[in-house]
Amino acid sequence: MGGVSSATSMWGSSGLAYLTGLPDGPPDFSRANVLTRARWVAAAIGERLGVTIDAAGLLAGRAALLGLTRRGRVSAGGATRLLAAADGWCAITLSRPDDTAAVPALVQADEVAGDPWPVLRRWAATQPRAAIVERATLLDIPAASLGEALPAAPRIRPRGARGPARGAAGLLVADLSSMWAGPLCGQLLARAGATVVKVESPARPDGTRAGNAGFLDWMNGEKLSYCVDFDRRPDELRALLTVADVVIEGSRPAALSRRRLGPEHIEPGRGRIWLRIKGHLDGRPAFGDDAAVGGGLVGVAADGPVFCGDAIADPLTGLEAARVVADALDRGGGELIEVSMANVAAGYAALPMQASVCNRPAPPPPVPPPARPAARLGADNEAVRRLVAEKGCPPC
């Protein structure tokens, strides 16, 4: 997996050192082995699926597209903060309007006017980490205690009969995930020749559609766009899931189960792989930065931890998920697989750390090559319905 000097050099040239450390301090090279391991995983996927994968570009590409830099205890994207609790460190993410609206209830105040972070910082300092995470979870606010998750292999359970071993070419993949980890797995399968259908609800499309168009294109440019109302037309979505060879799910299991669209409700197809990507195995919500903190994947500074890279648990989980799917295809599928972002981060955090070399160059990450524009929401609905009908399930 390479020596210390080569790992350090790759970490610096990738832009990941540029994204790690205090904003007014030197770049942090201590996690260089993370990229070394990610490159090994990418090579294993590439060999199995017949694609070339730039691991460094996947880990730092979003930051390059958005022009992000290191911000210490503020995540590169700005939505997550590392906060000192009474007994250590924790991370809280306020990425959605509902998260910010729930802050008064979290800190038990009548209201919180203006910037919520100073109030959260003072409140967290008086609370043990476990209490912070427990209370945030009750309010559906993503939060994690530093290093709470341990390295863990994906959970793999039989679900239906196995089929023959196969590659990705020609597969029909229903990608119900959003943001980064799941879509990245789908993107890699699309590059390997699968027909990947990005499934979105008109009420809650992928949040990246409201953000940087380059990132949306990068993750989803090679997919068909299928927009269906999960509540009003569940049978139409069920038809797609019934014929799909691979299902990628990034929502909480209850979100599909209450609509009877979970793996327990869909007839198991021979060889079907159902991939469920979670923030935490216990079902708690998470985003890439707080999941990384939960796994202990942080940089180091003299006075405490700093964020490592940009939402790094997301692309690492996307890579690991693609590897797990490739392995499942070799076994003939027939499996329900659960991958936790926090546990993936913990596995990378367990790699040996390096000295935080300060005298090496750390340029910003290079911008990924231009991607094919992502299809507009629902642009391929008719094409997807034809695919479903051709595979044996008439439109509902």
Side-chain angles (χ1 to χ4, degrees), residues 12 74-75 181 209 227 268 367 375:
V74 178
S75 64
R209 287 193 180 275
C227 183
V367 177

Side-chain angles (χ1 to χ4, degrees), residues 16-382:
L16 288 161
Y18 177 87
L19 296 168
T20 308
L22 293 170
D24 55 354
D28 183 349
F29 290 79
S30 61
R31 292 294 187 180
N33 278 327
V34 168
L35 178 55
T36 307
R37 166 68 185 180
R39 293 182 76 211
W40 179 86
V41 172
I45 300 167
E47 182 177 358
R48 175 65 185 81
L49 298 182
V51 293
T52 300
I53 301 171
D54 175 13
L58 292 181
L59 267 58
R62 189 186 84 142
L65 287 166
L66 274 60
L68 306 180
T69 187
R70 62 183 180 276
R71 301 173 68 181
R73 294 186 184 94
V74 178
S75 64
T80 309
R81 307 286 173 102
L82 272 159
L83 303 175
D87 59 349
W89 291 87
C90 66
I92 293 179
T93 297
L94 302 179
S95 65
R96 305 164 296 187
D98 287 350
D99 299 329
T100 303
V103 169
L106 179 63
V107 302
Q108 297 176 290
D110 291 335
E111 63 177 353
V112 174
D115 184 0
W117 289 111
V119 175
L120 280 170
R121 192 175 297 110
R122 292 191 295 270
W123 172 77
T126 69
Q127 306 292 316
R129 292 179 296 170
I132 293 171
V133 172
E134 180 180 9
R135 188 162 182 80
T137 301
L138 289 173
L139 295 165
D140 207 31
I141 297 174
S145 174
L146 177 60
E148 66 172 88
L150 298 175
R155 290 178 179 173
I156 302 175
R157 288 175 279 174
R159 182 67 186 167
R162 292 198 185 280
R166 52 186 171 169
L171 297 180
L172 177 60
V173 179
D175 181 3
L176 283 74
S177 64
S178 61
M179 306 303 287
W180 199 351
L184 171 56
C185 178
Q187 180 228 65
L188 295 175
L189 293 174
R191 289 178 53 196
T195 297
V196 181
V197 178
K198 182 171 183 60
V199 182
E200 298 171 85
S201 160
R204 295 188 65 180
D206 190 330
T208 58
R209 287 193 180 275
N212 182 278
F215 181 68
L216 175 70
D217 296 343
W218 186 41
M219 285 295 105
N220 301 290
E222 298 187 42
K223 304 174 187 177
L224 301 176
S225 176
Y226 181 58
C227 183
V228 60
D229 191 312
F230 290 23
D231 294 308
R232 295 184 178 182
R233 306 195 69 171
D235 288 345
E236 188 172 328
L237 178 54
R238 185 176 292 110
L240 171 61
L241 301 181
T242 298
V243 300
D245 300 296
V246 179
V247 177
I248 302 172
E249 176 200 335
S251 60
R252 299 181 190 108
L256 290 179
S257 292
R258 67 171 175 262
R259 298 174 174 93
R260 301 189 62 78
L261 293 170
E264 67 274 23
H265 304 113
I266 305 297
E267 185 68 25
R270 183 168 182 256
R272 179 179 301 129
I273 298 164
W274 193 294
L275 173 68
R276 179 173 279 167
I277 296 178
K278 297 181 171 182
H280 300 265
L281 284 177
D282 62 9
R284 284 158 46 204
F287 288 87
D289 286 303
D290 58 85
V293 171
L297 184 52
V298 293
V300 295
D303 55 349
V306 293
F307 284 105
C308 175
D310 168 37
I312 198 165
D314 266 308
L316 290 177
T317 301
L319 273 173
E320 293 289 343
R323 181 177 65 86
V324 170
V325 169
D327 290 344
L329 289 170
D330 274 342
R331 293 189 294 267
E335 296 175 347
L336 170 62
I337 304 171
E338 294 183 325
V339 180
S340 154
M341 292 169 62
N343 292 108
V344 167
Y348 281 84
L351 296 170
M353 294 180 69
Q354 312 229 63
S356 184
V357 181
C358 302
N359 60 351
R360 288 183 175 268
V367 177
R372 179 188 303 174
R376 61 176 176 79
L377 187 63
D380 302 300
N381 276 16
E382 289 306 316

